[in-house]
Amino acid sequence: MRTLLILLLAFLSGCASTPALRGTGDLGIVIERASGRVAIVDTSAHSILARVDGLGDLSHASAVFSRDGRYAYVFGRDGGLTKVDLLLARIDRRVIQAGNSIGGAISQDGRLVVAQNYTPGGIKVFDAATLELLSEVPTGSKVVGLADLAGQRFGYALFDTGEIWLTDLTDPRHPRTRKFKAGQQPYDGLVTPNGRHYLAGLFGEDGIALLDTWQPEAGAKKILENYGKGEEKLPVFKMPHLRGWAVAGNRAYLPAIGRHEVLVVDTATWQEVGRIPVKGQPVFVMARPDGRQVWVNFAFPDNGWVQVIDTHTGQLVQTLQPGKAILHMEFTPRSEEVWLSARDDNTVSIYDTASFARKTTLAAESPSGIFFTSRAHRTGF
Amino acid sequence: MRTLLILLLAFLSGCASTPALRGTGDLGIVIERASGRVAIVDTSAHSILARVDGLGDLSHASAVFSRDGRYAYVFGRDGGLTKVDLLLARIDRRVIQAGNSIGGAISQDGRLVVAQNYTPGGIKVFDAATLELLSEVPTGSKVVGLADLAGQRFGYALFDTGEIWLTDLTDPRHPRTRKFKAGQQPYDGLVTPNGRHYLAGLFGEDGIALLDTWQPEAGAKKILENYGKGEEKLPVFKMPHLRGWAVAGNRAYLPAIGRHEVLVVDTATWQEVGRIPVKGQPVFVMARPDGRQVWVNFAFPDNGWVQVIDTHTGQLVQTLQPGKAILHMEFTPRSEEVWLSARDDNTVSIYDTASFARKTTLAAESPSGIFFTSRAHRTGF
């Protein structure tokens, strides 16, 4: 009898510890960069649900999500790839996949996670369920700007050899790669929201390389030849993140490099059509999902400011001071709120994007990247 | 001792029946219109997980989702509004809110569900958590084309009085409404994917009414004045659904009314720029989320066909016969697959959008609408 009771109690305690059922559409993570930890957040309740430790070096970390929204794949600077279970609030799997990594992406069908590496270079392809290594593509170069594309393809740029590569992982153990001449020292890349155009910023020359992935056979061409390092007059405190580039309607909003300006580009012609003066050197220039606003943060010493451009009027409509060292911004998918991390204030602030009122502030240790599960449903994130 | 055992066993059975934890990002529902039932589907596993009965008259039913992806709100023709728990596979709450209803929408923040009604007309506003009635806006007219907009607003059109109304539900118990002259007998409406333009098709005259919700004070204007009922040469077997309108890049693809054509419209000027001949009278003309393809189904007697337009070349690239009476199509959010319901074959077919291969077929009773939880993260759905 006693044994039976103990058994039953053991069962019961297992039962009691099962987390409550919940949807995953309003979950996300905040990287606590100094602590090797992520905070799991609830964007409906404006709360931190749990923390998960043991993710290694999370400086410059980024994340993608499984298509069911349950798992985050976190790419650490130290080459760690960690699959975090957001419902059980624990590490599901973790591998050290390279010596020095700066991010990754997830395939269109959600079955493959791909990491881009500085050291030893190349990309590595993992089974999203098990993190088993399926294949790798050596590049002989640092890889930057990895982005997922339609057809189980991935685009990325090679810093040392000046190329854009497109790798097709339809057969994930046998990657097929096409290579395109891009220009001197691509330092980051992105894909437009519709997944069509892959762009790589060039560090070694002025301009940006553009590849139309709907017709890659046409090759990459150079656009915005006055964009880049060449003509800068100001010291560059922090290279802008291209991944944050805002495309709203038929305009792209780009951080000028070294200048206190946001460039406005027509996405039909890829010609510059305007410049908007801002408070500092822009780092992230991000469109609200509906395209009505563009939010901008800045490099040191202006990294306590955030400015908002109304894309309808082309005017600055708001200047905010959300905290010290604003490192990242993430919009809720239907645009009503934006979350901002203030690293040196140890806070994450949530703003209403219509009234610009601060709704609440959450405590987080040196927060950097903020990533919501709605990214699972978007291309090039 | 016996009591304790019974208690423990009761606990255990409760425990055992708790469904396994899972993410909700890859869930959806298929309306089984003849059975008053929805099938809960898993878009990763290509499977039907469960069925939920008791939803009343589901002819012409539609659905929206809670922002966490856990609940579907199903609007039935009989005025029933049913909140379905996708994780527990059961009805969470259900109200009969009108005599005759044709759909609804969910607010930007996910807290309000709004139903549009034929009888007695007007819209009703419900708390998304409890389905408590918070307010209503009487219209003295059938309401059509309800769509959610930024700022807790909703746009809709009045069939009998020829107006477009914008209702602001920032204070959900005290709606504030602005009214705009639209034209004769608007019969359906939609909002463009960025949430900016509200369009209402007119039945009583040629043309479409367009309202820029970023500057509604400018009023509605008439566009496409050769579009509509006036010049039709063919009998109209089924009015097209405007809600399916495809906007891809700077082009909108519209079903011609009564003609075997898809109209191509420039969304900068709202002028017609082309027509693409198709196999029958189009009903749904839907863009793949990445905008690369537009899929078209047809009215009787051509409702066994589906055609695909490549938006890059403007050409038809595929003609398929997925089954008898194709009523609806739903794309996975990253575009790799489309699900098609074949009412008279009692099947749902899943196609690869790149190869056009049929991946699998699921059995469903008279399936009509298919809705995936990724809609929770989009505006105007």
Side-chain angles (χ1 to χ4, degrees):
Chain A
M1 196 66 227
R2 188 149 175 270
T3 316
L4 179 60
L5 259 181
I6 287 168
L7 257 176
L8 282 171
L9 286 168
F11 265 113
L12 268 179
S13 82
C15 170
S17 73
T18 302
L21 289 179
R22 60 162 298 147
T24 51
D26 55 355
L27 297 182
I29 61 169
V30 175
I31 305 288
E32 298 191 303
R33 53 182 278 148
S35 324
R37 193 165 76 179
V38 297
I40 299 172
V41 298
D42 176 333
T43 66
S44 298
H46 293 168
S47 65
I48 292 175
L49 297 172
R51 287 186 157 88
V52 180
D53 281 296
L55 277 75
D57 179 358
L58 293 185
S59 54
H60 213 284
S62 66
V64 297
F65 294 92
S66 60
R67 72 192 299 282
D68 64 0
R70 176 169 181 174
Y71 300 99
Y73 300 90
V74 181
F75 303 93
R77 186 70 198 222
D78 56 1
L81 165 57
T82 311
K83 183 180 180 186
V84 177
D85 185 332
L86 304 182
L87 290 176
L88 291 177
R90 68 179 190 201
I91 292 176
D92 182 73
R93 281 180 170 75
R94 175 171 162 82
V95 295
I96 300 295
Q97 58 87 27
N100 187 341
S101 171
I102 55 150
I106 187 164
S107 64
Q108 185 180 30
D109 70 357
R111 295 182 193 281
L112 306 173
V113 170
V114 179
Q116 63 179 342
N117 294 317
Y118 273 1
T119 311
I123 64 169
K124 288 191 177 180
V125 182
F126 299 89
D127 181 300
T130 62
L131 298 193
E132 180 196 356
L133 179 66
L134 299 178
S135 59
E136 43 193 315
V137 181
T139 54
S141 163
K142 282 194 184 74
V143 173
V144 297
L146 179 73
D148 55 284
L149 296 164
Q152 296 289 95
R153 292 179 304 167
F154 290 82
Y156 49 101
L158 277 52
F159 180 82
D160 304 297
T161 54
E163 292 179 314
I164 294 171
W165 286 16
L166 288 187
T167 295
D168 182 331
L169 293 170
T170 303
D171 178 352
R173 292 188 186 272
H174 298 98
R176 286 176 302 142
T177 300
R178 299 174 70 175
K179 303 171 185 180
F180 306 91
K181 206 75 217 148
Q184 296 297 308
Q185 297 180 317
Y187 69 94
D188 197 3
L190 86 158
V191 62
T192 50
N194 63 357
R196 177 170 179 177
H197 291 103
Y198 183 85
L199 294 98
L202 302 175
F203 189 73
E205 61 184 300
D206 276 350
I208 287 169
L210 170 77
L211 182 70
D212 181 349
T213 70
W214 287 6
Q215 42 185 357
E217 56 283 359
K221 64 176 182 180
K222 203 79 59 67
I223 59 168
L224 296 173
E225 305 223 3
N226 60 346
Y227 183 80
K229 174 172 187 298
E231 59 154 332
E232 87 205 27
K233 300 289 188 301
L234 295 160
V236 179
F237 294 112
K238 182 173 167 64
M239 284 301 281
H241 283 255
L242 297 194
R243 193 59 65 92
W245 278 14
V247 176
N250 57 348
R251 294 281 185 274
Y253 298 80
L254 283 56
I257 298 180
R259 296 174 172 280
H260 294 196
E261 289 171 340
V262 169
L263 310 188
V264 186
V265 172
D266 183 322
T267 56
T269 61
W270 294 103
Q271 298 290 310
E272 183 183 324
V273 293
R275 295 188 172 218
I276 300 168
V278 289
K279 209 159 177 69
Q281 295 184 4
V283 176
F284 279 107
V285 175
M286 303 181 88
R288 205 172 75 173
D290 67 359
R292 179 63 192 269
Q293 295 173 345
V294 167
W295 288 57
V296 187
N297 71 342
F298 303 101
F300 181 85
D302 300 307
N303 59 356
W305 301 95
V306 167
Q307 290 191 302
V308 184
I309 297 164
D310 181 325
T311 61
H312 186 223
T313 62
Q315 303 296 311
L316 277 179
V317 290
Q318 190 64 234
T319 299
L320 300 165
Q321 285 186 285
K324 292 182 203 143
I326 303 300
L327 290 197
H328 198 229
M329 305 178 273
E330 178 86 337
F331 293 94
T332 52
R334 287 173 69 190
S335 303
E336 73 278 16
E337 291 174 355
V338 62
W339 291 42
L340 299 135
S341 53
R343 183 193 60 200
D344 296 349
D345 272 340
N346 297 305
T347 59
V348 170
S349 286
I350 304 171
Y351 280 80
D352 182 312
T353 60
S355 67
F356 303 110
R358 191 189 326 229
K359 292 180 145 183
T360 193
T361 299
L362 305 174
E365 258 181 52
S366 300
S368 55
I370 306 175
F371 306 96
F372 297 155
T373 54
S374 49
R375 288 175 175 249
H377 298 145
R378 299 181 66 175
T379 293
F381 267 72
Chain B
M1 197 68 229
R2 190 154 173 267
T3 316
L4 178 62
L5 258 182
I6 287 169
L7 258 175
L8 282 170
L9 285 168
F11 264 112
L12 268 179
S13 83
C15 170
S17 73
T18 303
L21 289 179
R22 59 162 298 147
T24 51
D26 56 353
L27 296 181
I29 62 170
V30 175
I31 305 288
E32 298 191 303
R33 54 182 280 146
S35 322
R37 194 165 74 179
V38 297
I40 299 171
V41 298
D42 176 334
T43 67
S44 298
H46 293 168
S47 65
I48 292 175
L49 296 172
R51 287 186 158 89
V52 180
D53 281 297
L55 278 74
D57 179 359
L58 294 185
S59 54
H60 213 284
S62 67
V64 297
F65 294 92
S66 61
R67 72 191 300 281
D68 64 0
R70 175 169 181 175
Y71 300 99
Y73 300 90
V74 181
F75 304 92
R77 186 70 197 222
D78 57 0
L81 165 57
T82 311
K83 183 179 180 186
V84 178
D85 185 332
L86 304 181
L87 290 176
L88 291 176
R90 69 178 188 201
I91 292 176
D92 182 73
R93 279 178 171 77
R94 174 171 163 82
V95 295
I96 300 295
Q97 58 86 28
N100 187 341
S101 172
I102 56 149
I106 187 163
S107 63
Q108 185 180 28
D109 70 357
R111 296 182 194 279
L112 306 173
V113 170
V114 179
Q116 63 178 342
N117 293 317
Y118 273 0
T119 312
I123 63 169
K124 288 191 176 179
V125 181
F126 299 89
D127 181 299
T130 63
L131 298 192
E132 180 196 357
L133 179 66
L134 299 178
S135 59
E136 41 193 315
V137 181
T139 54
S141 164
K142 282 194 183 76
V143 173
V144 298
L146 179 73
D148 55 284
L149 295 165
Q152 296 289 94
R153 292 179 305 166
F154 291 82
Y156 49 102
L158 277 53
F159 180 82
D160 304 298
T161 55
E163 292 179 315
I164 294 172
W165 287 15
L166 288 187
T167 295
D168 183 330
L169 293 170
T170 303
D171 178 353
R173 293 188 187 271
H174 299 98
R176 286 176 302 142
T177 299
R178 300 174 70 174
K179 303 170 184 181
F180 306 90
K181 207 73 216 150
Q184 296 296 308
Q185 297 180 318
Y187 69 94
D188 198 3
L190 86 158
V191 62
T192 50
N194 64 356
R196 176 170 181 178
H197 292 103
Y198 183 85
L199 295 99
L202 302 174
F203 188 73
E205 61 183 300
D206 277 350
I208 288 170
L210 170 76
L211 181 70
D212 181 349
T213 70
W214 287 6
Q215 41 185 358
E217 56 283 0
K221 65 176 183 180
K222 203 77 63 65
I223 59 167
L224 296 173
E225 305 223 4
N226 61 348
Y227 183 81
K229 175 174 187 296
E231 59 152 334
E232 88 204 26
K233 300 290 189 301
L234 295 160
V236 179
F237 295 112
K238 183 173 167 61
M239 285 300 283
H241 283 255
L242 297 195
R243 193 59 65 91
W245 277 14
V247 177
N250 55 348
R251 294 280 185 274
Y253 297 80
L254 283 55
I257 298 180
R259 296 174 171 279
H260 294 197
E261 289 172 341
V262 168
L263 310 189
V264 187
V265 172
D266 183 321
T267 56
T269 62
W270 293 103
Q271 299 290 310
E272 183 183 323
V273 293
R275 294 188 172 219
I276 299 168
V278 289
K279 209 160 177 70
Q281 294 185 4
V283 176
F284 279 108
V285 175
M286 304 182 88
R288 204 171 76 173
D290 67 359
R292 178 63 192 268
Q293 295 173 346
V294 167
W295 288 57
V296 188
N297 72 343
F298 304 101
F300 181 85
D302 301 307
N303 59 356
W305 300 96
V306 167
Q307 290 192 302
V308 184
I309 296 163
D310 181 325
T311 61
H312 187 222
T313 62
Q315 304 295 310
L316 277 177
V317 289
Q318 190 63 235
T319 299
L320 300 166
Q321 286 186 285
K324 292 183 200 143
I326 302 300
L327 292 196
H328 198 228
M329 305 178 274
E330 178 86 339
F331 294 94
T332 51
R334 287 173 70 191
S335 303
E336 73 277 17
E337 291 174 355
V338 62
W339 291 43
L340 299 135
S341 53
R343 184 193 59 200
D344 296 349
D345 271 342
N346 298 305
T347 59
V348 170
S349 286
I350 304 170
Y351 280 80
D352 182 311
T353 61
S355 68
F356 303 109
R358 188 184 334 226
K359 291 179 146 184
T360 192
T361 300
L362 305 174
E365 258 182 52
S366 300
S368 56
I370 307 174
F371 306 95
F372 296 155
T373 54
S374 48
R375 287 174 175 250
H377 298 144
R378 298 182 66 175
T379 294
F381 267 70

